[in-house]
Amino acid sequence: MDVSVLTEYLPLYKEAALLTVKLGLLGILFATVLGLVCAAVLYFKIPVLKAIVKIYIELSRNTPLLIQLFFIYYGLPKIGIRTSPEVCGVAGLAFLGGSYMAEAFRSGLEAIPLIQEESALSLGMTRFQTIRYIILPQAVSVSVPALVANVIFLLKETSVFSAVSLMDLMFTAKDLIGLYYDTTEALFLLVVFYLIILLPVGILGTILEKRARYAGFGA
Amino acid sequence: MSEKVLTLRGVVKEFEGQTILDGIDLEVEKGEVVVIIGPSGCGKSTLLRCINALEPIQGGEILLQGSPVKAGDKNLPVLRQKIGMVFQSYDLFPHMTIMDNITLAPRKVHKRDKAEVEREAAELLSRVGLADKAKSFPRQLSGGQKQRVAIVRMLIMHPEILLFDEVTAALDPEMVREVLDVMLELAKQGRTMIIVTHEMAFARAVAHRMIFIDEGRIVEEGKPDEFFESPKTERARNFLNMFRFQPASRS
Ligand SMILES: Nc1ncnc2c1ncn2[C@@H]1O[C@H](COP(=O)(O)OP(=O)(O)OP(=O)(O)O)[C@@H](O)[C@H]1O
Ligand SMILES: [Mg+2]
C-alpha cells in the first residue's frame, strides 16, 4: 500500500464522508419523524390514514433503496417534480427509514401493558398526559435497540447514493479506482471511513441501550 | 341524613353480547366500607372498572356525589381524580422513582407545587413504613411494598372514594398482612372504600357491609357478622363453604 497515495486521497474522502454523514443524518432525522407520525397513526387507529400508512410501510420495506432513489431521481421529474441529488438522497433515505422507524416505535408502544395507561387515567390524568408522561417514555426506551439498529442500517444504506451521482464515499472510491487503478488504497480508505462513521454510532448505541434498560424495566 | 358518595342504578355491562353485570344497584355512604366477594368471573373487577369508567356501561347510571360518571365525557378526568383505584397487578410506573410515581399526578393534574407535594408524599410514605424508599425504583421493591406505594399514589390525590381490586391476590403470603394493615388503617380513618377481596377474615374485620355477587348480580348483602354467620342464600352459603377447611369424610 502506498502511503503517499493515501495522503493524496485523504481530503477527497474527508469531503465525501462529510456529505455521507450530512445526508445520512438528515435522512435519518426525517425518517424518525415520519416513523413517529406513522406509529401514532397506527397506535390511535386513525381511519383512512391507517390504510395509507400500511400501504406505505409495505412499499417502503419491500423495495430496495436503489429503486426508490431511481424513482425519485428519474421518475418524479416525469410528473414535473425535479429534485437535486442531495434532496433525492435525503428523501430516499427518509422514505426507506420511515417504515423501519415506524415499526420500531410501534413495537415499543405495543410493549407497554394496558394497565399502565389505566393506572394513569384512574389518577385523573388526561389521555394526553398519560401518553406524554407514561406511555411514550417507556415505549421509547423499549424501542431504543431497534432504533439504534435502524440508524446503523440507514447509514450503511447511504452507500447507494452514488447511483444518483452524489459524491459520497462510495462514489469517491469508485471514481478514484476508475481513474488511477489504486484499488487497494481506494478500498482501504473506504473501509476506514465507514468504520470512522459507524463505530462511534455503534458504541453510542450500546451505551444508550444500557441506559434505556435501566430507565425502563428489568434488573 | 348521611351523604351518598356513590350511587349505581341498574348498571348493565356487556362484553361482546354477553351480559357481565346485570343490573347492579348500589349506594355507598360517606365513610362506609363495602366489601364485595363472589366467585371468579362473576364481574367484581368489571364493576370497579365501570365505576371509574375504564369500561363503558350499556345500561343504568353511575353517580359520584351526584355527577354522572360516563366513559368519553369531557369532565371524566376531573371525576376520576375523586375516585382512587388500586389494581391487583403492581402497576407502578417502572421508569420513575417511587417519589415521582407518587407526585406525578398531583403535580401535573392538580398543578401543585413540587416541594409541597413531595413533603406530603414523604409523610404518606413514612406512614406506610416506606420512608427510605423514595429514591428507589419500583423494580427494587417487593410486591407488598409496591402495593403500599400504589395506595399512597392514590391517596395523594385526596380521592372521595377508594376502590381496591384484590390488591393482595398476587402477593406472597408474608406480604399480604402489611398491605391489609394499611387498608385497615384507612378504614379506621373513616375513608369511603369499596374492596374486592378473597381474604375472608380481613373482609369480616373491615367491612361495614358485605356484598355477594354471582353471575353479574348482587345476590345477597348484609352486615358482616350476619353474612358470615348465617348467609341467607344458598349460593352465598356454598361460596363461603369453599373457604372453610373441612376434613374430607371417608367412608
Ligand atoms: N375485556 C373483556 N372482554 C371480554 N370479556 C371480558 C373482558 N373483561 C372481562 N371479561 C369477562 O367478564 C367476566 C367478569 O370478569 P371480571 O374480571 O370482572 O371477574 P372477577 O369477578 O373480577 O373475577 P376474578 O375473581 O377472577 O378476578 C368474565 O367472564 C370475563 O371473562
Ligand atoms: Mg377480578
Side-chain angles (χ1 to χ4, degrees):
Chain A
M1 204 164 359
D2 191 337
V3 178
S4 68
V5 172
L6 288 182
T7 45
E8 195 182 320
Y9 284 0
L10 210 53
L12 291 172
Y13 274 90
K14 249 197 250 165
E15 202 163 310
L18 274 179
L19 185 76
T20 295
V21 169
K22 199 176 82 186
L23 298 185
L25 289 186
L26 264 177
I28 288 167
L29 182 75
F30 286 122
T32 309
V33 174
L34 182 60
L36 254 180
V37 172
C38 290
V41 166
L42 294 179
Y43 183 72
F44 292 115
K45 303 191 175 75
I46 300 171
V48 187
L49 282 184
K50 200 179 89 181
I52 296 173
V53 165
K54 278 190 175 157
I55 292 169
Y56 154 67
I57 288 179
E58 289 307 314
L59 259 180
S60 153
R61 288 182 76 105
N62 294 310
T63 50
L65 179 57
L66 188 62
I67 311 294
Q68 297 171 5
L69 288 179
F70 279 169
F71 181 79
I72 298 170
Y73 197 62
Y74 300 108
L76 287 187
K78 298 231 157 70
I79 55 166
I81 303 171
R82 209 165 287 281
T83 55
S84 69
E86 282 83 6
V87 171
C88 172
V90 170
L93 207 57
F95 183 86
L96 173 73
S99 63
Y100 283 83
M101 294 297 187
E103 286 296 312
F105 285 123
R106 193 187 56 85
S107 64
L109 284 170
E110 280 178 5
I112 310 309
L114 187 62
I115 186 89
Q116 287 285 315
E117 182 179 335
E118 293 183 341
S119 318
L121 290 177
S122 58
L123 285 168
M125 288 193 218
T126 61
R127 194 151 162 70
F128 176 79
Q129 288 170 327
T130 301
I131 290 167
R132 162 79 180 74
Y133 298 110
I134 306 302
I135 311 287
L136 263 190
Q138 294 185 61
V140 168
S141 70
V142 173
S143 306
V144 161
L147 294 176
V148 169
N150 286 348
V151 168
I152 293 174
F153 159 72
L154 290 173
L155 280 175
K156 285 187 198 162
E157 284 292 308
T158 58
S159 56
V160 303
F161 277 180
S162 55
V164 288
S165 63
L166 275 169
M167 291 198 270
D168 72 333
L169 282 171
M170 200 65 180
F171 183 94
T172 305
K174 276 198 271 186
D175 198 35
L176 289 172
I177 292 169
L179 284 174
Y180 308 112
Y181 303 109
D182 294 320
T183 315
T184 316
E185 286 80 0
L187 288 181
F188 175 73
L189 283 174
L190 181 65
V191 172
V192 168
F193 270 88
Y194 263 111
L195 279 179
I196 291 177
I197 295 172
L198 288 170
L199 265 185
V201 177
I203 292 169
L204 200 76
T206 312
I207 296 172
L208 260 178
E209 279 171 36
K210 225 179 244 157
R211 284 248 179 135
R213 205 161 44 225
Y214 277 112
F217 328 93
Chain B
M1 208 186 82
S2 52
E3 184 192 339
K4 302 266 179 286
V5 177
L6 184 75
T7 307
L8 274 67
R9 285 200 203 107
V11 169
V12 173
K13 171 72 200 173
E14 290 163 4
F15 277 124
E16 292 140 11
Q18 240 193 320
T19 306
I20 305 298
L21 297 178
D22 193 6
I24 299 280
D25 295 300
L26 177 65
E27 292 211 314
V28 182
E29 287 172 11
K30 196 168 174 61
E32 194 180 13
V33 178
V34 174
V35 172
I36 299 177
I37 61 171
S40 179
C42 72
K44 305 181 296 292
S45 300
T46 305
L47 178 61
L48 291 192
R49 293 166 57 79
C50 288
I51 291 175
N52 68 0
L54 286 176
E55 299 286 354
I57 55 175
Q58 280 71 43
E61 61 176 354
I62 298 171
L63 302 171
L64 181 76
Q65 296 174 322
S67 313
V69 183
K70 265 168 77 183
D73 256 17
K74 261 228 129 54
N75 71 332
L76 186 56
V78 178
L79 289 173
R80 278 184 176 144
Q81 292 160 28
K82 301 182 188 168
I83 307 171
M85 178 144 176
V86 181
F87 300 83
Q88 171 176 344
S89 56
Y90 331 119
D91 55 323
L92 298 183
F93 308 131
H95 57 303
M96 294 178 187
T97 63
I98 298 308
M99 183 53 89
D100 289 343
N101 259 277
I102 298 168
T103 58
L104 179 73
R107 276 166 46 208
K108 301 301 173 191
V109 175
H110 286 160
K111 315 275 181 223
R112 285 170 62 189
D113 173 62
K114 185 165 183 247
E116 181 249 334
V117 183
E118 290 193 343
R119 234 172 303 138
E120 183 180 351
E123 196 200 311
L124 286 170
L125 271 178
S126 72
R127 254 196 264 164
V128 299
L130 295 173
D132 55 337
K133 298 293 182 198
K135 291 201 178 75
S136 304
F137 279 89
R139 61 175 178 273
Q140 297 163 318
L141 268 55
S142 72
Q145 293 171 330
K146 281 189 234 183
Q147 286 301 54
R148 282 182 278 160
V149 172
I151 292 173
V152 168
R153 184 178 65 177
M154 153 181 84
L155 290 179
I156 203 160
M157 294 302 283
H158 307 149
E160 300 290 338
I161 185 165
L162 317 180
L163 313 178
F164 296 87
D165 189 8
E166 297 196 47
V167 293
T168 58
L171 295 179
D172 289 336
E174 70 268 25
M175 288 166 188
V176 168
R177 186 57 193 263
E178 62 192 41
V179 175
L180 296 184
D181 280 342
V182 170
M183 291 163 71
L184 268 176
E185 182 59 35
L186 292 171
K188 263 194 230 146
Q189 291 169 10
R191 307 265 190 167
T192 313
M193 301 159 80
I194 302 180
I195 301 171
V196 170
T197 185
H198 280 126
E199 302 283 339
M200 293 304 153
F202 168 71
R204 191 166 177 171
V206 78
H208 297 140
R209 179 160 43 128
M210 293 297 305
I211 289 184
F212 174 69
I213 296 185
D214 196 11
E215 291 173 348
R217 290 179 192 204
I218 296 182
V219 174
E220 181 167 344
E221 61 183 302
K223 294 241 176 290
D225 284 342
E226 283 165 35
F227 177 79
F228 282 104
E229 296 294 334
S230 47
K232 290 190 277 292
T233 59
E234 173 106 32
R235 280 197 274 178
R237 249 194 316 274
N238 289 340
F239 178 74
L240 288 173
N241 271 336
M242 295 192 308
F243 292 86
R244 297 206 178 93
F245 289 98
Q246 286 161 338
S249 57
R250 293 182 206 171
S251 55

